[in-house]
Amino acid sequence: MQLLTFLGVFNLETTQFTWQKKPLLENPSPYVVEALLKFNEIQKISVFLTPEAEQHKNWKGLQECISKHKKISIEPVPISSKQTEEELWNLFVKVVDAVPPNSEIIFDITHAFRSIPFLAFLVTAFLQKARSVTVKSVYYGAFDRNQPETPIIDLTPAIKLLDWLTATEQFITTGSSINLGNLLSKIQQDFSSQDRQKITPPRLLEKLGTSIQDISRSLELIRSMGVLKETAKLQKIPAQELAKEVGYFAKPFELLSEQIQQSYGQFALSDPEKLENSQSSLQKQFLLLRWYVKKEQGTQAILLAREWLVSARCVAKGMDYLNKGNREQVEDELNQMKGSKPHLTLATARTKDDKITLTWSNLIKYRNDIAHAEMRRNSAEATQLQQYVKNKLIQEIETVFSEFTV
């Protein structure tokens, strides 16, 4: 385990450091690092020092203190005392370079000065994501000159807020709640592994986490029936009890609960495969198609639209749209219509069948282009595919099967 700490030039007073209200040292000390060694298995200490701090008695005193621990190495990491944008980026690089990939670290920001604590939190987030570094803890010694003891505070939960930030950004941008689900499930799993008899443990967070993860996976893999069924399950989780658990154990998620329900709840249908639910199912799938377009997920939108058109044609004819034979029959019919009018354009498409034929032709062309991963000549460019999805796809489908769109 590696400890990253900061040391300045201000006078340090001796104090008794405590952890969870228990004294850590036999004798008071000015160095919080000495106290951290008592309940952390640290092998290496990296001390970030300005030129002034490297010449100060604090650094010499800390070295003498750590020299008593033969198995622990300590090294200075020179940093600038200036606070320009360039020097802040240099500090960022210094911290990143001091930490090997895939390592475990502890941050101590007790003696960090000016904006360094804020930067340390951001670097921590970067190291976790970019270097696969495990941040075990972030500590702060809350010194008060008027108090005989200095409690060491664990700021690690604040780092988790950055995880919530990343997961929230992913959900808002892409609609995926995989990371949000992981965070929710982990809260309940971590709680279950600890002895907290005085607090009623969460009961629904893991269920919620699993549910929104299942929805996300179904969305990613275009499991349209799965999306409808999984969102119906999500709505069956007791809302009032869940709100209490979220408010107590997962406060950041409280801000997203309504957005999750609005984004996913529109698709809910318990039995989408029943024949009597065919029209409702198609309408929900069309909402899903709109969602893909809004989230700029062009591949999913085109693939679903192609299948949706076949389904709509089946239902319009009173056929079971999930029956393979029926689908093949309708596909053959659509292909024959397409073949009989190879030069059909928007200007010459006058009947509903003409418009269906034109829509089908576009979907087939773009669907095949995507499915073959551009492994043929004269394939459409990515921007062309995205423009089709953004500007034409929904409009074309609404024109030919408005009875199944909402």
Side-chain angles (χ1 to χ4, degrees), residues 136-161:
K136 301 295 288 185
S137 299
V138 179
Y139 294 119
Y140 173 70
F143 176 75
D144 184 342
R145 183 176 285 104
N146 298 317
Q147 298 296 326
E149 295 183 340
T150 297
I152 294 176
I153 300 172
D154 186 1
L155 298 176
T156 312
I159 298 297
K160 292 181 180 178
L161 187 59

Side-chain angles (χ1 to χ4, degrees), residues 87-101:
E87 291 303 332
L88 287 175
W89 279 115
N90 287 337
L91 174 58
F92 174 87
V93 173
K94 290 279 189 179
V95 176
V96 170
D97 288 347
V99 180

Side-chain angles (χ1 to χ4, degrees), residues 339-388:
S340 65
K341 296 187 176 182
H343 304 297
L344 192 64
T345 65
L346 186 61
T348 59
R350 304 188 183 284
T351 66
K352 181 173 182 177
D353 276 356
D354 283 348
K355 293 174 182 178
I356 291 174
T357 300
L358 187 59
T359 302
W360 176 252
S361 298
N362 286 334
L363 283 173
I364 287 295
K365 177 177 67 174
Y366 290 123
R367 179 266 177 199
N368 290 343
D369 212 331
I370 288 173
H372 294 292
E374 208 176 9
M375 292 297 109
R376 56 184 181 179
R377 301 190 188 283
N378 302 317
S379 293
E381 294 183 357
T383 52
Q384 181 183 350
L385 291 168
Q386 200 62 34
Q387 285 300 313
Y388 168 71

